[in-house]
Amino acid sequence: MMRKQNYWLSHENRSAQDVILRQTHLNSRLQFRFKAISRGGGGGNLKFGSGGRKTPMRRSTRRPQRIKDKEPNRDGMQLHVSPSMRSITISSSSNEFTTSDLMKIKLAARHISYRTLFHTILILAFLLPFVFILTALVTLEGANKCSSIDCLGRRLGPRLLGRVDDSERLARDFYTILNEVSTQEIPHGLKLPDSFRHLVSDIKNNHYDAKTFALVLRAMMEKFEQDIRESKFAELTNKHFAASSIPKGIHCLSLKLTDEYSSNAHARRQLPSPELLPLLLNNSYHHFILSTDNILAASVVVSSAVQSSSNPEKIVFHIITDKKTYAGMHSWFALNSVAPAIVEVKGVHQFDWLTKENVPVLEAAESHNGVRDYYHGNHVAGANLTETTPRRFASKLQSRSPKYISLLNHLRIYIPELFPNLDKVVFLDDDIVVQRDLAPLWDLDLGGKVNGAVETCRGDDEWVMSKRLRNYFNFSHPLIAKHLDPEECAWAYGMNVFDLQAWRKTNIRETYHSWLRENLRLNLAMWKLGTLPPALIAFKGHVHVIDSSWHMLGLGYQNKTNIENVRKAAVIHYNGQSKPWLEIGFEHLRPFWTKYVNYSNDFIRNCHILE
C-alpha cells in the first residue's frame, strides 16, 4: 500500500523554490537510473520527506516493462532522499504492504558559494606562477639530484614553518671565528699536524673547540705557504745554476772537436777556401753575424738559416767565438760543410781592433770587483725573499747570468768596426732558429735608421710582449728619470737588421761606453740587466720597428707559447733560462730546435747529446 509522503521545505538558508527544483531534478535522474535496476518489479518510486507541507507524489504514467529472465518477479525498489540531501535510503517491497530498508547512505554537505569559488581561483592564479618558477629553478639547478617537488619542499618548507637551516648558522659562526683568529698571534711553539689526516686525529683526541681548530688551521696554512714559497725560490735558484752551467754533452763536443783540430789536418783547413775569400766582403751577398762559444747552438743557427733559404748560395756567415772555443768551432764547420753557403770562423784574438785601448770599459767591467761579485757571487745570500715575488726573483737571477759581462755579448756594439767593408748585416743570437727565408730583410728600407728590430710592448702574448723601459731601468735614479720615459716601448736583441753605413755616422758606441762607465761607477745603481739597457739608451732615436712575425720571443721562459704562432714566425728565439739544449728546456718547444741537430754525426753520437 502506497504511503503519501509530505515534503516540507526549509527556509533557513535557501529558498523553497530552489530546493523543489533541485529535488525534482534529482528525483527524475535517480528514478531513471533505478528503473534500470528494478526492471522486474513494480517500478521504482521515489519519496522525499519534506517535514511540513504535503505534496502529492507524481507517478510515472509509463508502465514498467518486465524483463523475461530466470527471475521474472523481481521485487520493486524505492529510493528515499532526505530533505537536507545528506542521506539516501534504498528500500525494497515484496508486495504492496510490506517494505524493508536495504541500505542507508549518508552524504557530506557540499555547499560551495560562487564567491568562495571565485576567491579560490583568484588565489591559485596568483600563487601558481611562483610555484612554477621555483620548480623550474630547482629543476635546472639539479640540487642534490632530487626531484623538483622534493627540492621545492625542502627549501620552502623550513621558511614557511619559520625554521632556519642549521648549516647556514654554523657557517656564519665559523666565519666569525675565522675573522677573530686572523688577527691573533699564533702561540710560539704550537705543535702543528703534518697533514689533514693528522689534524682530524688531533681534533678527536684533544677535543678542540672551534676557535682552537681555526687557530691550528691558520697556522698550518701559513706554514704550508712558507714551505711552498721557499721551495719555489730554491727551484728558481737551481734552475739559474743549471742555465749558467755547460751541459756535459756540449762540453764533451767541444773537447773532442778541439782534439780533432790538433790531430786532423782536414779539421784545420782554411775557412772559407781561398777562392771564396773575396765573397766575405761582397755586399751583394746576405751577411749574417753570430757571436757565440756554443758549438752545437751555432750549428743549429747556421743549418736552419741555410735550409730555410731559397738562395743558400747567397748566404755568408761570420761566426765570432772566444779563444778557447775557436779550435772546436773551426773543426765543426770544416768537417761539416753547409755548402753552397759560406762560413767564416774567427776568434776575438784575431781581430786587431779589439784592444784594451778601444774597449777600456769592457776590461773594467770584467775586472770590477762589484760586478764580478754580482754576476759570480752567491745570488741568495743576503736576499730578502719575504719582500719579493718568485717572478721578480727569477728576473733578478736571469739578469745575473755571467754571460752579460762576457766580451762576446758586448761585441755587437762594435760590428761597424769589426766589419768595416760591409754595408748591411743581420745579427743573430745563438739561441734562435730560422724557419723562413730572411732574404727580404736586406730589401727593408730602414728610413735612415740604424737598427731594424721588433718591439716588445705589443703582441698577443702579454707575458712576453709587455716590456717597456721601466722593466729595465731604475727610474728612482735621477739620471734615468731625467733622460728616459718609463712608458717608452723597448725593443729586442736576437734578430736585428743593422745598416752599418748609417751606424758609422752616429755616436752610438760612445754613448754606450759613457753610460756603461757611469753605471759601473755607481755600482750598477741604474740597471742590472746585461747589455740591453745601455743599448736601449745608445740606440735611442735610431730604431726602425719591423713586423713582429720576423722575430718571436719568449720560448726560453714561457711554456704557454702558442704553437701555431711558433710555426708561423720567421725566427723563434729561446731567450730565457730554458734553453732547448738544456734538460730544463720545455719539451713541447724543443722539437723546433732539435730537428736541425745532426744526430747522425759521430761527435754528436759519441757525446750522447740530448739523449
Side-chain angles (χ1 to χ4, degrees):
M1 179 178 171
M2 296 293 296
R3 294 176 300 174
K4 293 184 178 180
Q5 180 72 32
N6 296 326
Y7 293 84
W8 292 95
L9 303 179
S10 175
H11 296 277
E12 294 178 357
N13 297 320
R14 63 182 61 84
S15 64
Q17 185 178 2
D18 290 340
V19 175
I20 293 173
L21 289 175
R22 289 171 58 190
Q23 288 184 343
T24 303
H25 178 67
L26 181 60
N27 179 26
S28 61
R29 291 178 62 188
L30 293 177
Q31 183 177 7
F32 175 76
R33 293 183 180 181
F34 274 84
K35 280 181 180 181
I37 297 174
S38 57
R39 292 174 182 173
N45 298 328
L46 300 177
K47 296 186 179 181
F48 296 83
S50 59
R53 188 174 173 181
K54 296 183 179 181
T55 304
M57 179 177 176
R58 292 184 178 180
R59 286 184 174 272
S60 174
T61 57
R62 296 179 56 187
R63 293 176 60 87
Q65 298 180 358
R66 292 182 179 273
I67 300 176
K68 296 180 180 181
D69 52 19
K70 294 182 180 180
E71 297 181 3
N73 296 322
R74 180 173 293 179
D75 295 336
M77 300 183 67
Q78 294 180 347
L79 182 67
H80 300 272
V81 181
S82 66
S84 62
M85 301 181 70
R86 295 188 180 183
S87 65
I88 300 175
T89 303
I90 302 175
S91 61
S92 65
S93 59
S94 56
N95 52 51
E96 270 186 77
F97 305 100
T98 306
T99 62
S100 59
D101 294 340
L102 294 179
M103 183 181 300
K104 187 172 184 179
I105 303 173
K106 291 186 177 181
L107 304 176
R110 299 177 62 184
H111 305 302
I112 302 176
S113 66
Y114 290 109
R115 179 176 296 177
T116 303
L117 182 62
F118 173 75
H119 289 163
T120 302
I121 294 174
L122 187 63
I123 293 173
L124 289 176
F126 179 77
L127 292 178
L128 282 177
F130 292 97
V131 174
F132 173 77
I133 294 173
L134 290 175
T135 304
L137 288 176
V138 173
T139 303
L140 291 174
E141 291 175 359
N144 300 324
K145 297 183 179 180
C146 59
S147 65
S148 300
I149 297 177
D150 183 25
C151 289
L152 189 62
R154 190 182 304 176
R155 293 186 177 190
L156 293 180
R159 288 174 172 79
L160 294 176
L161 296 176
R163 300 174 185 172
V164 180
D165 190 358
D166 289 340
S167 62
E168 296 180 1
R169 180 180 57 80
L170 290 174
R172 287 197 300 269
D173 294 343
F174 192 61
Y175 295 153
T176 303
I177 294 173
L178 288 178
N179 288 331
E180 293 177 0
V181 169
S182 63
T183 58
Q184 292 184 1
E185 288 288 337
I186 297 177
H188 181 69
L190 179 65
K191 186 178 180 181
L192 300 177
D194 296 329
S195 65
F196 180 76
R197 181 170 58 84
H198 292 159
L199 174 63
V200 174
S201 178
D202 288 351
I203 292 174
K204 292 180 180 179
N205 297 334
N206 300 325
H207 304 290
Y208 287 168
D209 57 14
K211 192 170 184 178
T212 304
F213 166 73
L215 189 65
V216 173
L217 184 63
R218 175 196 163 194
M220 286 182 63
M221 293 290 294
E222 291 183 357
K223 179 180 180 297
F224 291 154
E225 288 177 358
Q226 182 65 24
D227 292 344
I228 293 173
R229 184 181 179 86
E230 292 176 358
S231 299
K232 186 64 177 177
F233 285 127
E235 176 193 355
L236 293 172
T237 304
N238 294 333
K239 189 174 182 180
H240 169 70
F241 290 133
S244 303
S245 62
I246 301 175
K248 181 179 178 180
I250 292 179
H251 184 63
C252 166
L253 181 65
S254 179
L255 291 178
K256 286 185 176 295
L257 288 170
T258 301
D259 182 66
E260 192 72 14
Y261 183 85
S262 62
S263 61
N264 186 347
H266 187 62
R268 296 192 302 271
R269 70 182 179 89
Q270 184 176 354
L271 287 179
S273 57
E275 65 273 14
L276 298 177
L277 286 177
L279 301 180
L280 298 179
L281 308 177
N282 192 332
N283 282 298
S284 65
Y285 281 71
H286 301 152
H287 294 267
F288 293 91
I289 296 177
L290 175 62
S291 175
T292 180
D293 60 355
N294 189 327
I295 299 172
L296 183 64
S299 70
V300 169
V301 174
V302 174
S303 296
S304 63
V306 172
Q307 293 181 35
S308 302
S309 175
S310 57
N311 296 299
E313 66 278 2
K314 299 283 289 183
I315 291 179
V316 178
F317 262 96
H318 305 268
I319 300 177
I320 307 174
T321 189
D322 55 14
K323 189 174 183 178
K324 65 180 176 59
T325 313
Y326 171 75
M329 188 76 73
H330 190 283
S331 294
W332 175 267
F333 287 101
L335 299 174
N336 300 277
S337 175
V338 291
I342 300 171
V343 176
E344 176 193 29
V345 178
K346 294 190 73 172
V348 291
H349 59 286
Q350 296 174 322
F351 287 95
D352 296 333
W353 189 86
L354 290 176
T355 62
K356 293 182 179 179
E357 291 75 19
N358 292 328
V359 287
V361 176
L362 298 184
E363 178 69 18
E366 290 187 347
S367 60
H368 192 281
N369 290 331
V371 174
R372 293 187 64 83
D373 290 342
Y374 181 79
Y375 287 103
H376 295 281
N378 190 332
H379 301 333
V380 181
N384 189 356
L385 301 182
T386 60
E387 296 182 0
T388 187
T389 64
R391 182 174 179 180
R392 274 187 198 166
F393 185 68
S395 298
K396 289 181 179 179
L397 288 178
Q398 184 178 348
S399 69
R400 297 177 75 164
S401 174
K403 73 176 184 178
Y404 290 126
I405 59 172
S406 167
L407 177 60
L408 290 175
N409 203 42
H410 288 269
L411 276 181
R412 64 195 77 191
I413 203 68
Y414 307 113
I415 289 177
E417 288 75 24
L418 298 179
F419 300 94
N421 298 309
L422 297 182
D423 296 336
K424 198 172 191 179
V425 298
V426 170
F427 180 85
L428 298 175
D429 276 351
D430 62 357
D431 53 355
I432 64 99
V433 173
V434 179
Q435 301 187 125
R436 206 165 71 211
D437 187 8
L438 300 183
L441 291 176
W442 274 264
D443 299 327
L444 280 179
D445 182 8
L446 300 184
K449 305 292 186 181
V450 173
N451 180 6
V454 170
E455 285 186 323
T456 56
C457 64
R458 300 179 184 88
D460 296 333
D461 193 341
E462 295 181 357
W463 177 272
V464 176
M465 307 300 286
S466 60
K467 303 294 187 298
R468 299 182 182 273
L469 296 191
R470 65 171 180 266
N471 300 106
Y472 299 98
F473 295 96
N474 176 20
F475 275 88
S476 62
H477 195 280
L479 278 177
I480 296 297
K482 179 180 178 181
H483 291 90
L484 300 178
D485 178 8
E487 297 304 316
E488 184 178 338
C489 193
W491 50 268
Y493 265 146
M495 198 283 292
N496 303 86
V497 184
F498 289 133
D499 185 341
L500 301 185
Q501 287 183 317
W503 191 338
R504 295 185 184 103
K505 299 176 183 178
T506 67
N507 61 343
I508 291 176
R509 177 166 59 91
E510 290 74 15
T511 304
Y512 185 93
H513 277 170
S514 64
W515 279 91
L516 185 59
R517 185 184 298 109
E518 184 65 15
N519 194 42
L520 287 173
R521 189 184 67 82
L522 296 171
N523 199 21
L524 307 180
M526 293 190 290
W527 73 81
K528 297 182 183 298
L529 183 59
T531 57
L532 182 58
L536 291 173
I537 299 175
F539 282 98
K540 185 176 176 61
H542 300 291
V543 178
H544 174 79
V545 178
I546 63 176
D547 190 87
S548 59
S549 63
W550 284 108
H551 184 192
M552 182 177 183
L553 298 128
L555 276 70
Y557 63 87
Q558 166 66 305
N559 63 345
K560 297 180 181 179
T561 302
N562 187 293
I563 298 299
E564 288 302 318
N565 292 340
V566 173
R567 292 192 178 99
K568 296 175 183 177
V571 172
I572 55 175
H573 194 174
Y574 290 85
N575 59 313
Q577 293 178 324
S578 301
K579 304 298 185 185
W581 56 81
L582 299 176
E583 292 184 3
I584 60 175
F586 300 121
E587 291 297 331
H588 65 293
L589 299 176
R590 197 193 306 274
F592 293 97
W593 186 85
T594 55
K595 70 179 180 179
Y596 294 105
V597 176
N598 183 10
Y599 287 102
S600 63
N601 183 275
D602 291 338
F603 294 100
I604 298 291
R605 288 205 314 269
N606 294 334
C607 289
H608 308 286
I609 290 178
L610 293 177
E611 285 188 355

